[in-house]
Amino acid sequence: MKQKIYFVFLFSLFSFASLFAQQPEKPSAVEIYHAIQKLNFLGSVLYIAAHPDDENTRLISYMANHQKARTAYLSLTRGDGGQNLIGTELRELLGVIRTQELIEARKIDGGEQFFTRANDFGYSKIPDETLKIWDKDQVKEDMIYVIRKFKPDVIINRFDHRSPGTTHGHHTSSALLALEIFDQINDKNIFPNQLNYVSTWQPKRLFFNTSWWFYGSREKFDEADKKNLVNFETGIYYPLFGKSNQEIAALSRSRHQSQGFGSTGSRGEEIEYLELIKGTVPTDNKNIFEGIDTSWNRVKGGAAIGKILSEVEKKFDFKNPSASIPMLVSAYEMLQKTEDEHWKTIKSDELKKIIQACAGLYLEGVAAQQSITPGSLLKVKLETINRSVIPMVLKGMTFLPEGKFIIENKALQNNISETFEAELLIPQNLEYTEPYWLRKEGTVGMYRVDEQERIGLPDIIRQLKVRFEIIINNVNIPFEKEIIYKYNDPVHGEVYKPLDVVPTATTSIVDKVKIFQAQQTQPITVLVKSGKDNINGILKLDLPKNWKVNPEQIPFELSKKGAEATFTFQVTAPSQVEEIQTKSIAIIDGKVEDKEQLLISYNHIATQQVLSTASAKFIRLDLKTNGEKIAYIMGAGDEVPTYLSQMGYEVTVLKPEEITVQNLKKYQVVVVGIRAYNTVEELAFKQQLLFDFVKEGNTMIVQYNTTGKLTVKEIAPFHLKISRDRVTEEDAEVRFLAPNHKVLNFPNQITSKDFEGWVQEQGLYFPNEWDATFTPILSSNDLGEEPKNGSLLVAPYGKGHYIYTGLSFFRELPAAVPGAFRLFANMISISSKSNQP
C-alpha cells in the first residue's frame, strides 16, 4: 500500500508548514547518520535569554550540528509583549504564535526549547522594574528546575549582567538571574520540592556570548583585547547537508515571522566569542567542553554502549541503513540496564527514533475527525509497516490515557502494511486542548502553572496517544505516537492536523468591546458553535443587576458538529458611568460551558486552539463624537478600526491602491495604522495625496512607527524625527503642555483621569525633534528620566490638521480603556468646524 509521506526534520522547510507540522518523520540516510553521530556525544549546553528572537541561532546550530551537543534555548518569556507584523493577535495570543515560531526554529537548527512562567509584560528599561513585575523567586525557581532537568554542562547568557539600562530590562534580568542561580542549582535546600521530580546539578561553566554589539561598534570590538575570550570558528560548511552553519541559522531565525526577522544566510569565516563569567577556566580557549567528559564513560556501564555505537557510526551504510539495526537494538537493550536515568531517558529516545528511521518503520494513529469532546467515542485507524528485512513483531498497541490494549504478536513482514481500526472512549475528565500556561489566570508578570512537571515545557500537552510495542531481536521497544487527523486536500495533497479535545459547545460575544450611552439599549450578538452532533441548551449573558438584558435566556439547538448559530440579546446600560466584564454561557444537560474557541492559523506554524473565557467588556462611557467618516490604512496589523466602529464611526479600511483623490473625497479623516511607514512600500507613492487631503480641510492621524527603515522620505508635511523614546510605565503622570488646545477639549474634556487604567505602556517611539508648526500636547516620563514631550503632536496644515502620536492606542482600545476612546475621538474631530469650544 503506497503512502505519501512528508517529513519535517533538521533542514527541511515547507511553504505550508502548518499543513505538515504533524506529519510523521521520515529522515534520509544523511539525517540518520547525523543523528547517530549525536548519539556518541554526551555533553549539553543551555542558552539563556529573555524573549523569542533573542537567541543566537548561529551558536545554537553550531553546538547542535558541529559539536553534536544536546543544545537548548531557555527563553524566560514567550514574547507576549511584542508587536505582531503578520496579524492582529497581541498579548497572550501573540505569545502562542511566538512559542510556535521558536519550536519551528529549533526543528531547523537542531536545538530544544524551554520557557519559564514569566510574562513578557512589555518593554522595560531597567532590571529593577522587570524583577518588580515578574515574581523574581518564581522565575528563579523555573530556571533552576529547567536546569536540573536538562542538566547542562555549560550555560551561555545572551546578555551582559553588568550593563543595566543599556538594553531591555528583561535582557539584563535574564543574565542577572542566571548568574545568581549558578551556585544554587546544586543546593538541595533551594526549592527542595523540585527534588521529587529532578535531582540537583552543577553546571561547570557560565559564559556571556559577547559580540561587537556590546562594544558599541565593530571598530571598537576589533580593537578590544580578546585574549581572555573563548573563541571558535562557527562559519562551518556541512557537506552532508549542502549548507553553511550561517545558512541554517538564517533559516531558523526566519521562523520569527511575527517579528519580521526574516534573515538571509551567509557563508564563510565567522567567529563567536564567549567570556567566562563563572566556573572552571578552560585551558583550551576553543573548546567550551574542555575537561568535561562527553563520552559514554560518564555513564556507569556506558563504555560498552559507546563501543557499539562507535562501530555503528563507523560502519553505517548509506545505501542500507537497516544494516545498523541489530547493533542499535543491542545498544538500546544495554542502555535499559544502566542506572543513569538522565542519559538513559535521553539516549533511549534518540535510539528509538534512529531504529525506526533505519527500518523505515511507519507507525501512525489517525482519528476519523479533527476534534472530539470528552466522554465521546473516537474511531482511530492504526497503520504499521516494516520497510526493512529485519524481522519484527507487533506485540500490541495501547491507547493513552485510556489504557486500552489491542492486538498481540502480529508479525510485521517486509513492506507489508498492517492496518487496524479501533474505537476508544475519551475520558470524561480529559483536559481540553489549549496552551497549558493559559488555563488559569495569572498576574501581569507571571503565568500560573501549578503542576511542577509542566514547568518549562514549550508546547501544548496532547494526551491522546497510541503506544506501539515492537519486538526486534527479542527486545521489546515501545514507540509512542500522538493520534492525529489527516485528510486529502485537492491542492496540497495529504494534510495533517493535530487532534483537539474541545468543549461540547463554545460561545463568543461578537463585539469584544461595546460602548453605551446612558440607558442606551444595544443589540448584543452571541455566536454558539457545536463541538459534537445533536446538542441543545440555553444561552445566557452574565450581567450585573443594574444592566438589563432581554430576553434573559435563549434556547438553542444544533444538529451537526461544527454548526454555528447567532443569537441576539438586547442590553440596556445604567445611567452611571461604569465598565463591566460580561460572559456568555451555554448550559447543556446541566453543565455550564463558558469557553470561547480561538483558532490561530498561519502557514509557518501548526494551527493552535486557544480556549478563553467567553467574555466582553461593556462600557457605559461619557463619549461625544461628531460622526466623521474615516478611512483606515492598515500597517503591521491592529484592531483599531474595529474599535473606531464601536465608537459609532463609519470606518473603511483602504488598501494602498485604493488611496486615490476620488476615494479620499468620501472621508473627513484618514488614520494610518501602526508601523505602516515601516511595512507598506506603496505608501511612498501615496504620501502627497494624503498631504493634499489634509490641506483641503481634513485630518490625518499617524500612529507610531519605529526608527527602522521608512518607506517614505517624509513621514509628515513638516520636519519630524522619530526616536526610541518611550514611556513604559503605563501609570506615569501625564502633564498637559497645551491645556487649552482643542484636542484636549473638544468634543470631550480630557483630564488626568483619562490616563488611568492604561495597560502595558503609555507609548513608544516618540519623536524627539519636530518643526515649530507642531504643538506638543502631552508630557510624561518613566521614573528618574527626563520628560518626553513627543507622544502627541498636532500641526495645522492648509485647512486641516496632521497628527502624529506614539501613544499605544493599538493596546488601549482593545483593553477598553475609556480615556483612550475619548482622546481618540478628540483627535478625529480636530478639524471639525461645528460646536467648537
Side-chain angles (χ1 to χ4, degrees), residues 133-150:
I133 296 174
W134 286 351
D135 185 319
K136 179 182 176 182
D137 286 341
Q138 279 193 5
V139 180
K140 285 175 56 179
E141 181 181 3
D142 292 0
M143 294 175 73
I144 287 175
Y145 181 72
V146 168
I147 293 170
R148 284 173 171 174
K149 186 176 181 180
F150 185 73

Side-chain angles (χ1 to χ4, degrees), residues 71-95:
T71 308
Y73 174 41
L74 172 57
S75 176
L76 298 196
T77 76
R78 296 177 184 267
D80 328 78
Q83 284 88 51
N84 184 358
L85 294 185
I86 60 174
T88 59
E89 297 89 352
L90 292 174
R91 294 302 302 136
E92 289 79 8
L93 296 182
L94 177 58

Side-chain angles (χ1 to χ4, degrees), residues 58 83 462 645 741 757-758 779:
R58 297 183 308 275
Q83 284 88 51
R462 299 186 183 275
S645 296
H741 197 284
W758 283 51
S779 177

Side-chain angles (χ1 to χ4, degrees), residues 101-151:
E101 288 178 336
L102 270 184
I103 290 170
E104 294 300 322
R106 298 294 81 78
K107 290 178 184 178
I108 293 167
D109 59 36
E112 299 176 46
Q113 185 61 52
F114 300 107
F115 295 95
T116 75
R117 287 172 288 178
N119 192 329
D120 178 6
F121 56 83
Y123 194 87
S124 174
K125 293 178 179 177
I126 56 174
D128 289 352
E129 181 195 19
T130 298
L131 297 175
K132 189 186 300 181
I133 296 174
W134 286 351
D135 185 319
K136 179 182 176 182
D137 286 341
Q138 279 193 5
V139 180
K140 285 175 56 179
E141 181 181 3
D142 292 0
M143 294 175 73
I144 287 175
Y145 181 72
V146 168
I147 293 170
R148 284 173 171 174
K149 186 176 181 180
F150 185 73
K151 299 190 184 305

